[in-house]
Amino acid sequence: MRLLILLTILVFISVYAAIASIDINLLSGYGSIISAAAGILAVIWFSASLSYQARQIEEQRIQFLAEFKHLQETNRRDALLVAKQILDTAEHAAIRNFDEISSIAELPTRYLDCPELKPILESTDHKEVLDAFKSWVKKEGGALALLQGIKSAAEVYLRGTGTADIDYTKEPEEFVYIYGPRFMQQPFFQSFQGVATMLCEFMIRLAPGRKAAQIAFFAATAKAISKDILHIDKLRQDMKAHTAKGYPLPRIAEDL
């Protein structure tokens, strides 16, 4: 603004000096000088107006970015607080489902130690299969409870922070395995990182055996009680899909 005033004063001084040096009888000269001065002043004030508007736009941009950053941080903090509650609940649910552990830190090694799968997959005695599955399902239930909780907490965080390109339809173990790098370093998630990473790896590698165990359970149930209580066609569809992938059926289901 000071520069603008100074330039205006200089224009007036220049006009006054030019007028003072012109013969008083040359009226057209006065008009030309005044017209030129008016044009110069218009350019100066127009340029100043553009500069002022540009500065205002820049200040608004900076203010908007600051507000947007504050909003993002607020959303992130709120999402993390909600995620913490979900994670705490998931931890308790995992221990409650697999009641042989006192901490989720025990879950990966206990999950990988799975002697129950041998009789589940190889036995033709429905009672033996059901007894083994009863032990196995505690481990499976504990692992799924934990990873499902981590997935739910991650969804709250990722949606809250506007993270795109996420497939929320994936199974918990696949979801955490694939997208874990996007949220596992965040507060509250970090304490689950080691356990979750190992569990995901084990569950993905054991996927054929896990599916076979489900088939064996329903097959054993059908033989122990009655086929009429099960949707036997659905079971046969699962069996067909399992063998189509090149995996063998559990022996208890081979004659269904």
Side-chain angles (χ1 to χ4, degrees):
M1 182 58 70
R2 291 180 180 179
L3 178 59
L4 180 61
I5 293 173
L6 178 60
L7 289 173
T8 302
I9 292 172
L10 287 174
V11 170
F12 278 115
I13 292 174
S14 299
V15 169
Y16 177 77
I19 290 175
S21 65
I22 293 177
D23 189 334
I24 193 170
N25 295 315
L26 298 176
L27 294 178
S28 61
Y30 287 102
S32 298
I33 292 172
I34 292 173
S35 177
I40 293 171
L41 286 175
V43 171
I44 291 173
W45 281 94
F46 180 72
S47 300
S49 176
L50 289 179
S51 177
Y52 177 69
Q53 290 177 12
R55 187 165 64 251
Q56 278 190 318
I57 292 172
E58 178 63 17
E59 289 174 353
Q60 289 174 352
R61 185 187 70 82
I62 293 172
Q63 182 180 1
F64 173 77
L65 287 176
E67 292 175 353
F68 182 69
K69 184 177 181 181
H70 175 71
L71 181 61
Q72 279 189 316
E73 187 58 33
T74 299
N75 289 342
R76 176 178 174 274
R77 184 185 66 246
D78 292 345
L80 282 172
L81 290 175
V82 175
K84 181 182 184 302
Q85 297 177 3
I86 298 173
L87 291 170
D88 290 343
T89 300
E91 182 174 8
H92 295 313
I95 296 173
R96 185 172 61 252
N97 277 275
F98 189 18
D99 54 9
E100 296 177 17
I101 61 173
S102 57
S103 166
I104 60 168
E106 304 173 48
L107 192 51
T109 52
R110 294 294 302 274
Y111 185 88
L112 191 58
D113 180 21
C114 47
E116 304 93 344
L117 286 180
K118 183 176 176 61
I120 290 173
L121 302 180
E122 297 180 3
S123 177
T124 57
D125 182 343
H126 61 78
K127 185 178 184 306
E128 185 179 11
V129 170
L130 292 175
D131 287 344
F133 187 83
K134 190 182 299 183
S135 175
W136 162 253
V137 79
K138 289 184 178 182
K139 299 176 181 179
E140 180 78 351
L144 284 175
L146 181 63
L147 292 182
Q148 181 59 61
I150 293 174
K151 177 186 175 182
S152 297
E155 183 171 354
V156 169
Y157 172 76
L158 294 171
R159 290 189 186 276
T161 54
T163 306
D165 302 323
I166 303 292
D167 182 1
Y168 294 104
T169 65
K170 289 189 176 298
E171 294 298 321
E173 64 274 16
E174 293 181 349
F175 181 90
V176 176
Y177 183 80
I178 294 170
Y179 300 115
R182 300 198 187 190
F183 58 83
M184 272 302 185
Q185 295 297 324
Q186 298 300 319
F188 311 128
F189 286 98
Q190 285 181 323
S191 58
F192 294 85
Q193 185 173 13
V195 169
T197 300
M198 286 189 288
L199 269 181
C200 290
E201 181 76 23
F202 297 159
M203 294 178 76
I204 290 172
R205 290 182 180 276
L206 284 174
R210 292 167 58 214
K211 183 61 180 179
Q214 293 179 24
I215 293 172
F217 168 74
F218 287 115
T221 301
K223 292 183 176 182
I225 305 175
S226 170
K227 295 181 181 180
D228 296 334
I229 69 169
L230 291 174
H231 193 332
I232 198 69
D233 290 338
K234 176 63 171 65
L235 175 57
R236 286 170 178 157
Q237 289 175 7
D238 292 343
M239 292 163 57
K240 184 177 180 180
H242 188 70
T243 55
K245 295 178 181 178
Y247 303 132
L249 288 174
R251 291 191 62 195
I252 191 75
E254 287 177 345
D255 58 349
L256 287 178

